[in-house]
């Protein structure tokens, strides 16, 4: 007897069980939580540029040494991505995100008491960086599991949290610094980030179970019925043709010459098949699947992420110093950063809306956006006054939104790895990005210190983005070539195998019986 599962109201801590991907339901709550996680992780990282000049004056350090704070933070965040994947698969997304929120808040609050830049490296770079990883990646992963058709649009809209954070945090922190100083402002940010724990508590796991279909009464399938009909035919032929045995019963084995009576063994065989099909063994899931590294399309996509990361963080960190070097006031500089954030909101929503259209090759849309983002980065050095810089920032923000909000969710597309390997692929992908996250801001800082010109930072970002576009253009050809090779190998192996003709066709049985009858007549 089979157990009937009744639908009951589950508490907030229990997993959600669906027969298919819901494309909504509790997923809307997950999207709401992801919005605030984005705001309190990447939003704070991108707004950290408002502290740059204060830290340089307080610690008497250069641009490049202060840039290492965010570099170490981004490096730890991306380098520990596989750890985040393993912990999420082992302990669940909820616990990992809540632990990450505690680490982020602890690191930021402790940094407000730092005595030198090395203390900042440890507190914000290592402690908060690890917390950022544990908070962000599990949230975006579980959000992708709750949506299928709407995945691109929902993820893009939810990821606008960081844009609204930059829009609101940059002017707010700037005004707060004027009142209470940068240390207490940093302390306030750390306390605010503790609310990530609340967002993490909302991440209910999801289980997709196929709808249970009642097994029909034990009835012979068509093939078994066919064999039984052949057996009956064999019996009638044997009674006429001198008792020569011609049998195709599955219960017999080659070499037997004695006829056996009919039994219920075929029916028992059918019953075993039904029971086995009703409860298939569940495959054991791996904590981290590195098999994606054998996929050439994923390797190209990971290299795209590696070089594109060079252009993700440095512009938002150096836009305020660049505007100050052009003689633009602090208030107007903060407005430029806020305008970039608002444009990024529209970019994310637009990209999500376009990618939600079907049929569409999403990887090509991403490539177009990356090329335009490279153009935006090259345009910054040609801006010489407020409105020119504002125009470049708006264009850059819009194009950044189209790429930043979609490059991780695109891993779930079949052109890259697919939804089945999304969790492990995201961990490995972000891990590979860690090298660029570590090298990007310091490289830009060294160029600025060497050339005494902030434009060089934007040139280095643009060069990385162009390389990223080259590797992104190779993703689809690699995937198509791999599928073609697999299909070709399958066809070759199928051609080599000569199928054995079954002996249970009634025509063959009759033919055998006739031949045997002729042989007996001739004796």
């Amino acid at each position: 007897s089979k157990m009937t599962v009744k639908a009951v109201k589950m508490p907030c801590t229990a997993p959600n069980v669906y027969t298919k991907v819901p494309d909504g339901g509790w997923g809307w709550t997950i999207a709401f939580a992801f919005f605030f996680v984005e705001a309190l992780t990447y939003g704070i990282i991108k707004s950290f540029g408002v502290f740059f000049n204060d830290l340089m004056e307080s610690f008497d350090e250069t641009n490049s040494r202060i840039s290492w704070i965010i570099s170490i933070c981004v490096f730890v965040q991306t380098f520990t991505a596989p750890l985040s994947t393993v912990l999420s698969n082992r302990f669940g997304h909820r616990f990992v995100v809540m632990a990450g929120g505690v680490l982020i808040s602890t690191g930021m609050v402790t940094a407000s008491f730092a005595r030198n830049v090395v203390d900042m490296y440890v507190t914000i770079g290592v402690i908060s960086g690890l917390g950022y990883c544990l908070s962000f990646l599990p949230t975006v992963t579980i959000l992708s599991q709750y949506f299928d058709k709407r995945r691109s649009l929902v993820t893009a809209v939810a990821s606008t949290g960081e844009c609204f954070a930059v829009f609101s945090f940059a002017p707010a922190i700037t005004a707060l610094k004027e009142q209470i100083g940068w240390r207490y402002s940093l302390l306030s940010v750390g306390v605010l980030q503790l609310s990530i724990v609340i967002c993490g508590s909302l991440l209910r796991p999801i289980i997709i179970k196929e709808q249970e279909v009642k097994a029909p009464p034990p009835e012979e399938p068509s093939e078994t019925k066919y064999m039984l009909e052949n057996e009956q035919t064999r019996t009638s032929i044997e009674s006429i043709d001198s008792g020569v045995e011609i049998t195709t019963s599955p219960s017999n084995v080659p070499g037997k010459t004695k006829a056996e009576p009919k039994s219920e063994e075929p029916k028992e065989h059918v019953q075993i098949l039904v029971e086995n099909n009703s409860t298939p063994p569940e495959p054991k899931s791996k904590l981290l699947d590195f098999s994606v590294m054998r996929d050439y399309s994923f390797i190209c996509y990971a290299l795209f992420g590696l070089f594109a990361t060079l252009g993700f963080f440095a512009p938002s960190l150096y836009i305020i110093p660049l505007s100050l070097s052009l003689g633009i006031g602090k208030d107007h500089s903060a407005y430029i950063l806020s305008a970039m954030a608002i444009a990024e909101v529209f970019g994310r929503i637009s990209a999500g809306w376009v990618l939600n259209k079907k049929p569409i090759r999403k990887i090509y849309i991403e490539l177009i956006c990356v090329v335009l983002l490279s153009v935006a980065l090259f345009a910054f050095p040609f801006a010489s006054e407020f409105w020119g810089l504002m125009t470049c920032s708006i264009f850059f923000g819009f194009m950044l939104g189209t790429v930043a909000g979609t490059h991780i969710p695109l891993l779930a597309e079949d052109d890259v790895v697919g939804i089945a390997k999304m969790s492990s692929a995201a961990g490995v992908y972000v891990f590979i990005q860690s090298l660029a996250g570590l090298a990007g801001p310091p490289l830009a800082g060294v160029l600025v210190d060497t050339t005494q010109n902030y434009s060089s930072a934007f040139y280095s970002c643009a060069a990385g983005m162009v390389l990223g576009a080259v590797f992104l253009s190779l993703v689809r050809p690699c995937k198509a070539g791999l599928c073609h090779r697999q299909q070709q190998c399958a066809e070759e192996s199928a051609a080599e195998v000569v199928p054995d003709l079954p002996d249970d066709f009634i025509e063959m049985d009759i033919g055998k019986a006739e031949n045997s009858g002729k042989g007996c007549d001739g004796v």
Side-chain angles (χ1 to χ4, degrees), residues 238-294:
E238 285 176 353
S239 63
I240 300 173
D241 294 328
S242 306
V244 178
E245 180 188 6
I246 304 165
T247 178
T248 56
S249 172
S251 61
N252 295 332
V253 290
K256 287 188 178 181
T257 55
K258 185 179 178 180
E260 295 179 4
K262 281 178 66 176
S263 66
E264 296 296 325
E265 287 181 12
K267 290 187 179 180
E268 292 174 4
H269 181 62
V270 174
Q271 180 64 27
I272 292 171
L273 287 176
V274 171
E275 290 177 0
N276 287 342
N277 290 336
S278 62
T279 56
E282 295 184 0
K284 187 177 179 181
S285 59
K286 298 180 181 179
L287 292 180
L288 187 62
D289 187 6
F290 278 102
S291 64
V292 293
M293 293 299 296
R294 295 196 294 267

Side-chain angles (χ1 to χ4, degrees), residues 125-355:
V126 178
I127 299 176
S128 291
L130 178 60
Y132 286 134
C133 176
L134 298 182
S135 299
F136 172 76
L137 197 58
T139 311
V140 70
T141 301
I142 195 171
L143 179 63
S144 298
Q145 294 172 359
Y146 269 90
F147 291 90
D148 182 18
K149 296 178 182 177
R150 302 174 180 169
R151 183 186 300 129
S152 297
L153 181 60
V154 171
T155 306
V157 173
S159 66
T160 58
E162 74 176 75
C163 311
F164 284 106
V166 175
F167 171 72
S168 56
F169 287 167
I173 295 174
T174 302
L176 193 62
K177 285 192 306 176
E178 300 294 331
Q179 301 296 324
I180 61 177
W182 70 267
R183 289 185 181 274
Y184 286 107
S185 299
L186 200 60
L187 177 64
S188 303
V189 171
V191 173
L192 180 63
Q193 287 178 310
L194 192 61
S195 57
I196 292 177
V197 176
I198 301 175
C199 298
S201 65
L202 299 175
L203 304 183
R204 293 169 64 176
I206 180 173
I207 299 174
I208 305 295
K209 283 188 176 180
E210 293 184 2
Q211 194 169 7
E212 185 178 352
V213 181
K214 266 192 171 184
E219 181 182 352
E220 297 91 353
S222 58
E223 184 180 353
T224 309
K225 285 183 178 179
Y226 206 35
M227 289 190 294
L228 291 177
E229 289 175 1
N230 291 345
E231 195 167 323
Q232 292 172 1
T233 306
R234 173 189 60 78
T235 305
S236 61
I237 293 175
E238 285 176 353
S239 63
I240 300 173
D241 294 328
S242 306
V244 178
E245 180 188 6
I246 304 165
T247 178
T248 56
S249 172
S251 61
N252 295 332
V253 290
K256 287 188 178 181
T257 55
K258 185 179 178 180
E260 295 179 4
K262 281 178 66 176
S263 66
E264 296 296 325
E265 287 181 12
K267 290 187 179 180
E268 292 174 4
H269 181 62
V270 174
Q271 180 64 27
I272 292 171
L273 287 176
V274 171
E275 290 177 0
N276 287 342
N277 290 336
S278 62
T279 56
E282 295 184 0
K284 187 177 179 181
S285 59
K286 298 180 181 179
L287 292 180
L288 187 62
D289 187 6
F290 278 102
S291 64
V292 293
M293 293 299 296
R294 295 196 294 267
D295 192 337
Y296 293 125
S297 61
F298 172 76
I299 293 175
C300 290
Y301 196 82
L303 291 174
F304 147 70
L306 175 70
F307 290 106
T309 304
L310 293 173
F312 282 169
F313 295 100
S316 59
L317 294 177
Y318 283 100
I319 189 65
I320 290 181
L322 175 62
S323 60
L324 293 176
S325 68
L326 295 175
I328 301 173
K330 290 184 179 180
D331 293 338
H332 287 78
S333 300
Y335 293 150
I336 292 175
L337 188 59
S338 297
M340 180 189 296
I342 290 298
E344 188 175 343
V345 171
F346 289 101
R348 288 172 183 264
I349 296 175
S350 301
W353 180 78
V354 171
L355 294 180

Side-chain angles (χ1 to χ4, degrees), residues 55 58-61 65-66 69 110-124 182-183:
L55 297 177
S58 298
F59 299 142
D60 192 23
E61 294 290 352
R65 284 181 62 84
I66 297 298
I69 298 173
T110 308
S112 63
F113 301 99
R115 294 170 296 176
N116 52 55
V117 71
V118 177
D119 293 343
M120 287 280 190
Y121 293 162
V122 176
T123 54
I124 295 180
W182 70 267
R183 289 185 181 274

